[in-house]
Amino acid sequence: TACISVAVPQDPTWNVEALYFVHLEDQPKSSDVDGAILGDIRTIYVYSVNLSSFPARAYGLLDAEPLTPSVQRLVRCFWEHNYTEIPNETKWGLLYSLVPPLLAYFTQIQQRILVDCGL
């Protein structure tokens, strides 16, 4: 019997559980490591259970006393959850898409000031 330690990836998406695969490879004997004989099954399935509630811990941790969130907390937690799901390229795209309307708005203000002339 052998024991191995595997780091669980930090997945930003919220799922009740996640399934990860660990692929084992033969390692030849060396002076500091005893060799192992692997059979036909060289893939280990690792299940990860999410202990935080959806959305974004609004109801607290699942292994603790549940919270009763307010509507404001639920809305904030949904925004936080959705923000973490969006790729960075999309966030930058949304920010860049605000430039043309803002330029048009400032142009309209400048034209109004020029045409109005304080009358």
Side-chain angles (χ1 to χ4, degrees):
T1 303
C3 179
I4 61 171
S5 296
V6 178
V8 177
Q10 294 297 318
D11 191 358
T13 59
W14 191 95
N15 295 311
V16 175
E17 65 180 29
L19 174 64
Y20 301 100
F21 302 100
V22 177
H23 301 286
L24 302 176
E25 297 178 357
D26 285 328
Q27 182 177 8
K29 277 189 172 184
S30 65
S31 60
D32 58 340
V33 176
D34 292 336
I37 299 173
L38 299 176
D40 291 335
I41 301 175
R42 294 170 182 256
T43 301
I44 298 173
Y45 304 102
V46 177
Y47 289 94
S48 173
V49 178
N50 195 345
L51 293 179
S52 62
S53 62
F54 179 81
R57 302 167 309 283
Y59 294 93
L61 296 176
L62 296 180
D63 58 351
E65 187 68 30
L67 301 173
T68 306
S70 63
V71 173
Q72 291 86 3
R73 178 173 168 82
L74 276 175
V75 169
R76 185 184 58 79
C77 288
F78 266 111
W79 275 99
E80 180 183 333
H81 169 76
N82 290 336
Y83 181 78
T84 59
E85 295 292 317
I86 298 174
N88 281 337
E89 293 82 9
T90 305
K91 294 173 189 172
W92 281 109
L94 289 172
L95 184 65
Y96 289 148
S97 70
L98 293 176
V99 171
L102 287 174
L103 290 176
Y105 176 73
F106 290 129
T107 302
Q108 292 291 327
I109 290 176
Q110 288 176 343
Q111 288 177 349
R112 181 177 174 202
I113 291 172
L114 288 173
V115 171
D116 190 14
C117 295
L119 297 176

